Amino acid sequence: MSYHFIILGTQDNPLFSYVLGTSKQGGDGQARFPPSAAHLNQFVLHSSLDIAEEVQWGTGHLYLKCIDKFFNNYISCFVTGSNTKFMLLHQPTQQGPGVTTRSSAAIGANPTSPQTEEAIRAFFQEVYESWVKTVMSPFYGLNKEIRSPVFRQKVAAAGRKYL
Amino acid sequence: MSNLQPSKSSSAKEGLRYPSSGKTIYTRPLNRTKNAEISQAAFAYLFGEMISYAQRKVTGIQDLEKRLNAQGHPIGIKLLDLLLFREPARTQVRPRTIVEVLHFIKQQTWVHLFGRQADRLEKSNNADTPEEYMIIDNEPLVNSFISVPKEMSQLNCAAFVAGIVEGICDGAGFPARVTAHTVAEGEMWPGKTVFLVKFEIEVVDREAYLGDRK
């Protein structure tokens, strides 16, 4: 399973971006995206914004769960109170003939299973906490890029813990 | 590119200085301990300075109120997510309707800022202005040590609070204009203030559309 996590501001402008791989089931935390995916992922994530903006008025919950699918890419979304969006693109590893089969309950094997949903919720919740702390900084304004290396470490730690 | 994974040595190259205790804003808890209140005297002093700062080179009372409003606006946006984060997980929901936003302001926000709820919420009686709502505070805390000179009787320094309210409305996706007006009510509440919340017309339209869909 490979993940691409971005934070988008209210003007749909990217504020933060992070690529990670799974650390569960002996994963090494490295993303296994094909070389072309770096650009493609951004397109896929942004194209899901329309759906996110529709779904967010249907439910008051911050976590919108998995809202979109594009071939083998699944997109989960989390909307904060001030309409900043956390988007996570997750791409299950293609099961090649040489790969041993994993149990279906494992996070990542089945991107829409309740277990995966819960893991992503926990990840988003932890990032949300760090993000609110960023926002509370008097030197940070709305829709500004997040450059703090500490924030990046926090996101990486949350990824290792839950994804 | 910012989305590349940082290599292990990159943090040393950033040239950022970390506090020697290793504590950053990320290690501080967001939940407030009980009774962590600031002194009203300190606030009154600071607020007085904020007003005189805003008063420099202003063209008129409206301009002054606009500047006070602008000082409050970013606070509102930040406060919205902080208060939402502090909600218990079950009730952690984004406000989706005008009434929910106003309740959030009247209850959570007012309690957080002033230690009590706002006194009343009202909808405009005028059928021509369905987008107008009023938040009423009988005795705004920010005005407790502010005396407005006679020639500026139009001024209400709670414009600062109006800015906070506007920030919350804007942040939650309900763009609005918020202004503070003094509406004295006899001897009892001489400083009674009405916060007039005027939502953009598209907010009312969206509300009607979402209401129909249910």
Side-chain angles (χ1 to χ4, degrees):
Chain A
M1 188 87 134
S2 306
Y3 301 93
H4 190 155
F5 172 70
I6 55 170
I7 298 180
L8 294 171
T10 53
Q11 312 289 324
D12 298 345
N13 50 331
L15 308 181
F16 180 82
S17 168
Y18 189 71
V19 179
L20 69 159
T22 189
S23 299
K24 300 283 177 199
Q25 271 83 43
D28 56 0
Q30 293 298 313
R32 300 265 186 276
F33 285 118
S36 61
H39 306 95
L40 186 65
N41 283 350
Q42 297 187 5
F43 271 115
V44 175
L45 283 164
H46 278 83
S47 69
S48 305
L49 270 174
D50 285 343
I51 300 172
E53 269 162 21
E54 193 146 315
V55 175
Q56 76 173 96
W57 294 105
T59 168
H61 293 289
L62 304 175
Y63 180 39
L64 304 180
K65 301 186 181 167
C66 189
I67 54 164
D68 198 11
K69 178 179 185 289
F70 180 76
F71 290 100
N72 197 29
N73 300 304
Y74 296 80
I75 288 105
S76 294
C77 183
F78 183 100
V79 184
T80 71
S82 52
N83 265 312
T84 303
K85 292 179 186 69
F86 300 173
M87 321 264 294
L88 182 76
L89 179 144
H90 35 121
Q91 188 180 62
T93 318
Q94 298 281 10
Q95 296 282 338
V99 180
T100 51
T101 48
R102 293 165 177 172
S103 74
S104 62
I107 295 168
N110 180 0
T112 48
S113 71
Q115 285 88 348
T116 313
E117 225 164 62
E118 269 313 303
I120 294 175
R121 176 201 300 278
F123 170 75
F124 276 149
Q125 198 63 39
E126 194 146 319
V127 174
Y128 186 39
E129 182 176 347
S130 302
W131 180 80
V132 173
K133 287 174 180 171
T134 308
V135 169
M136 290 309 289
S137 158
F139 301 108
Y140 181 82
L142 184 70
N143 286 340
K144 274 212 260 177
E145 190 189 343
I146 302 175
R147 295 206 178 128
S148 164
V150 185
F151 182 79
R152 190 167 282 274
Q153 282 163 17
K154 286 269 173 188
V155 173
R160 269 199 304 279
K161 197 160 150 197
Y162 297 110
L163 299 179
Chain B
M1 280 286 287
S2 58
N3 64 352
L4 292 175
Q5 305 225 6
S7 59
K8 289 222 166 60
S9 59
S10 71
S11 56
K13 284 182 202 156
E14 302 268 354
L16 281 178
R17 294 199 310 156
Y18 290 90
S20 53
S21 62
K23 287 203 166 124
T24 61
I25 51 165
Y26 295 103
T27 47
R28 288 173 58 178
L30 277 172
N31 286 313
R32 183 168 68 161
T33 45
K34 279 263 180 299
N35 306 323
E37 294 180 346
I38 64 156
S39 105
Q40 192 180 354
F43 172 77
Y45 182 67
L46 183 66
F47 190 56
E49 283 301 311
M50 283 166 62
I51 294 169
S52 38
Y53 179 80
Q55 218 172 350
R56 279 181 208 163
K57 293 183 191 165
V58 286
T59 51
I61 288 167
Q62 279 203 331
D63 191 29
L64 176 55
E65 286 194 335
K66 204 187 257 172
R67 289 191 191 190
L68 285 171
N69 188 298
Q71 286 181 347
H73 195 270
I75 299 178
I77 294 177
K78 290 171 183 224
L79 210 52
L80 173 64
D81 263 303
L82 179 69
L83 294 177
L84 212 56
F85 180 84
R86 285 181 181 167
E87 288 281 301
R90 271 177 299 110
T91 52
Q92 201 180 46
V93 285
R94 282 174 292 115
R96 272 182 303 152
T97 59
I98 289 176
V99 173
E100 280 173 16
V101 173
L102 293 174
H103 265 276
F104 181 83
I105 293 166
K106 174 179 185 266
Q107 289 167 0
Q108 274 95 323
T109 312
W110 238 256
V111 168
H112 172 80
L113 292 174
F114 310 125
R116 63 178 173 83
Q117 291 194 7
D119 292 296
R120 251 195 351 262
L121 279 182
E122 269 179 30
K123 190 180 188 312
S124 162
N125 289 324
N126 191 341
D128 296 334
T129 54
E131 75 280 15
E132 287 186 1
Y133 290 79
M134 287 169 274
I135 303 167
I136 295 159
D137 193 325
N138 286 338
E139 214 179 359
L141 183 112
V142 292
N143 282 356
S144 41
F145 297 108
I146 304 289
S147 33
V148 179
K150 252 206 177 78
E151 67 272 18
M152 295 171 80
S153 57
Q154 286 284 304
L155 175 70
N156 188 333
C157 291
F160 174 65
V161 181
I164 297 178
V165 173
E166 191 172 315
I168 290 177
C169 291
D170 285 354
F174 296 81
R177 291 278 309 131
V178 184
T179 45
H181 305 276
T182 313
V183 185
E185 195 178 286
E187 292 286 294
M188 186 71 175
W189 306 115
K192 183 174 151 185
T193 296
V194 173
F195 297 96
L196 183 67
V197 186
K198 201 172 157 80
F199 289 102
E200 300 286 333
I201 207 74
E202 74 237 27
V203 175
V204 182
D205 289 349
R206 182 182 67 206
E207 184 117 332
Y209 172 71
L210 288 171
D212 287 346
R213 234 171 34 156
K214 272 178 196 140

